[in-house]
Amino acid sequence: MKTASIILALAFSVFLFCGCGKEESDNAPSQWVNNIEELKQLNQGKITITQGIAGTLTLIEGNCMPIIGPNSTCKEYPVKRKLAIYPYTTLQETVQHEAAFYTINAEPLMEVETDAEGFYQTKLSPGTYSVFIEEKGKLYANGFDGQGGINPVHVDEDVVESLNLRLNYAVY
């Protein structure tokens, strides 16, 4: 009986700390937790392109309900992920799996990986694109326009468009 209790306690501990629901490689760099505006300013200084998109990818998790006192578990921090850029894509062109996860029956125009501070940049020709975060073998996006376009961004000639993305696992 005692052995069964120990095994159950160990299994519960593994469940609590497994990172279930999001990729296990997320370790919040303490200097950036909830200090996102300063992080975005730092990343703006890294831009080396003259046309395309650039920005910061962050992950938000925990209980983000308004809480009185210091007991909030809500935290936001930069993460490393691969971003997939597609031509402008609407909801009708995807298969939605759950909340904000999609698959698309097409290849992305390009992929780019964020760095440890969530920074990314990529050159793009003028046009309108949809940007997805690769997560759990699917494509994550939580932004839309009024025409059903998913995470749209429009690139003009000789302009770097700022597109900050948020991977949201928080409870509200």
Side-chain angles (χ1 to χ4, degrees):
M1 182 68 157
K2 190 174 188 179
T3 303
S5 296
I6 292 171
I7 292 172
L8 185 58
L10 284 171
F12 184 69
S13 296
V14 167
F15 174 75
L16 283 177
F17 296 105
C18 74
C20 299
K22 61 184 190 340
E23 291 188 8
E24 293 181 35
S25 64
D26 295 334
N27 294 323
S30 60
Q31 76 269 26
W32 299 122
V33 172
N34 298 332
N35 196 2
I36 301 308
E37 289 310 311
E38 186 177 323
L39 173 66
K40 288 176 185 176
Q41 288 177 359
L42 170 85
N43 283 343
Q44 282 289 97
K46 295 179 181 179
I47 297 173
T48 60
I49 60 174
T50 58
Q51 179 178 297
I53 60 174
T56 301
L57 171 63
T58 58
L59 185 145
I60 187 165
E61 65 182 347
N63 182 349
C64 295
M65 292 284 289
I67 296 174
I68 297 173
N71 297 325
S72 174
T73 61
C74 185
K75 60 183 175 180
E76 185 173 7
Y77 52 90
V79 290
K80 290 181 77 167
R81 292 290 190 281
K82 190 179 289 184
L83 304 179
I85 294 113
Y86 285 82
Y88 178 79
T89 305
T90 63
L91 288 167
Q92 294 78 16
E93 299 171 284
T94 68
V95 175
Q96 187 171 5
H97 298 280
E98 53 189 273
F101 290 92
Y102 304 89
T103 54
I104 300 172
N105 192 18
E107 292 297 316
L109 297 172
M110 66 177 27
E111 295 179 326
V112 61
E113 193 147 335
T114 64
D115 69 12
E117 283 87 30
F119 173 73
Y120 74 94
Q121 66 179 349
T122 188
K123 294 178 183 179
L124 290 170
S125 299
T128 303
Y129 303 89
S130 289
V131 181
F132 295 86
I133 304 162
E134 292 188 14
E135 181 81 352
K136 296 193 273 186
K138 295 183 179 68
L139 300 170
Y140 176 92
N142 60 0
F144 305 92
D145 65 13
Q147 292 76 46
I150 305 172
N151 263 3
V153 60
H154 183 77
V155 175
D156 288 319
E157 194 164 326
D158 299 323
V159 174
V160 177
E161 192 65 39
S162 177
L163 181 64
N164 295 311
L165 300 167
R166 180 186 274 175
L167 188 56
N168 197 335
Y169 284 103
V171 177
Y172 298 96

